[in-house]
Amino acid sequence: MFKYLMILLSLISIDAHAEPIRIASDIWCPYICENETGYVVELTKRAFEIQGQTTVFVTIPYKRALLELQRNNIDAVLALTPGAIADNQLIDAGVVIGYNSNDFYTLIGKDESFETIADLNQTSQAAAVSGYDYGVELDAWLNAHPNTYFASGNDPLAMNIIRLIKGRHSVIVDNKNVIEYTASQLNLSQHLRYAGTIGLPVPLHVGFSQKNQANATIFANGIKMLKANGEYQEIINKYKILPGTTTNKARHKRLQKFLPVINK
């Protein structure tokens, strides 16, 4: 908690004359990655920068980011569904920056498939991320089942993948691109199996507080400019192919103590 407080204080204390746009989110690669990378991070930053507006981006847990947005300690949170926008009374600028789907993964060798909510009744324990919006039906199922595990913190999906391999739960749900990206960073892709998708993809937005209508308008205009000059597609293209086994060393070291002994 002290670490998050120091991050937020640094945002608040930035030179008032610069008035940077304060943006926060948790790690959700390849949408939002460490070291201010990820295509949603890059698009958002460039949308402001192309108009001469500076930005500051910090990584904090998802639920914390939404709370600080309500407190006006930050100006925007990245990659929010329409449900999250509505529930938190935010502004979305009318710009879709990607799509999310509820994709399910099990361990290799399992045979479960998930195409409807009813299919989940056959699983012993599902794992999701605390605070995420999975849609009305799936949210209701996850919250109604006491065995559901909700991960939190800065790297909740990574922890869910690790716990899946350790046998702590039988299936994880998140976005397919994010699961595969994170698994590749942990060198664990060979242990995971895609087991289906429930529901249709939903659009993702950058959520601004009610006091940031002007910044939402600037953001929307910046995205139009990036599409017009070709930068938008260039940024998207950078993240189309999942990386190989070259991992982020700092992240891998931080998670190493949780990894099971594999192929010993």
Side-chain angles (χ1 to χ4, degrees), residues 161-166 188 255-263:
I161 291 173
I162 292 168
R163 285 173 58 87
L164 177 68
I165 292 175
K166 284 186 171 185
L188 297 176
L255 294 169
Q256 186 66 42
K257 61 182 179 180
F258 299 107
L259 289 169
V261 177
I262 300 170
N263 297 332

Side-chain angles (χ1 to χ4, degrees), residues 238-257:
K238 286 172 60 177
Y239 294 92
K240 278 187 175 180
I241 301 175
L242 292 174
T245 57
T246 55
T247 64
N248 179 297
K249 292 182 179 179
R251 184 186 187 200
H252 191 273
K253 183 178 180 180
R254 187 173 70 245
L255 294 169
Q256 186 66 42
K257 61 182 179 180

Side-chain angles (χ1 to χ4, degrees), residues 44-80:
T44 303
K45 289 176 61 179
R46 282 299 297 147
F48 286 109
E49 289 171 356
I50 199 172
Q51 299 173 89
Q53 176 65 63
T54 58
T55 61
V56 175
F57 177 76
V58 294
T59 300
I60 57 177
Y62 177 80
K63 293 180 73 173
R64 185 73 184 184
L66 290 175
L67 178 61
E68 297 304 334
L69 185 61
Q70 297 288 353
R71 293 174 174 174
N72 293 307
N73 289 331
I74 58 176
D75 302 306
V77 174
L78 303 182
L80 300 182

Side-chain angles (χ1 to χ4, degrees), residues 92-191:
D92 66 14
V95 176
V96 175
I97 46 82
Y99 288 87
N100 185 38
S101 54
N102 292 324
D103 303 307
F104 293 79
Y105 278 72
T106 68
L107 291 177
I108 288 289
K110 302 297 182 179
D111 60 3
E112 298 101 325
S113 63
F114 302 92
E115 296 180 356
T116 68
I117 296 295
D119 293 333
L120 284 166
N121 294 328
Q122 308 305 314
T123 190
S124 59
Q125 185 186 65
V129 175
S130 178
Y132 277 16
D133 174 22
Y134 294 99
V136 175
E137 288 187 299
L138 184 52
D139 278 343
W141 190 95
L142 293 171
N143 288 302
H145 288 72
N147 285 338
T148 300
Y149 177 78
F150 290 99
S152 60
N154 281 346
D155 237 330
L157 177 57
M159 296 309 303
N160 275 347
I161 291 173
I162 292 168
R163 285 173 58 87
L164 177 68
I165 292 175
K166 284 186 171 185
R168 303 288 178 80
H169 38 245
S170 53
V171 62
I172 59 175
V173 57
D174 209 295
N175 177 277
K176 184 175 184 179
N177 291 328
V178 184
I179 290 176
E180 294 190 1
Y181 187 103
T182 302
S184 72
Q185 292 290 286
L186 296 170
N187 294 328
L188 297 176
S189 299
Q190 69 274 24
H191 299 279

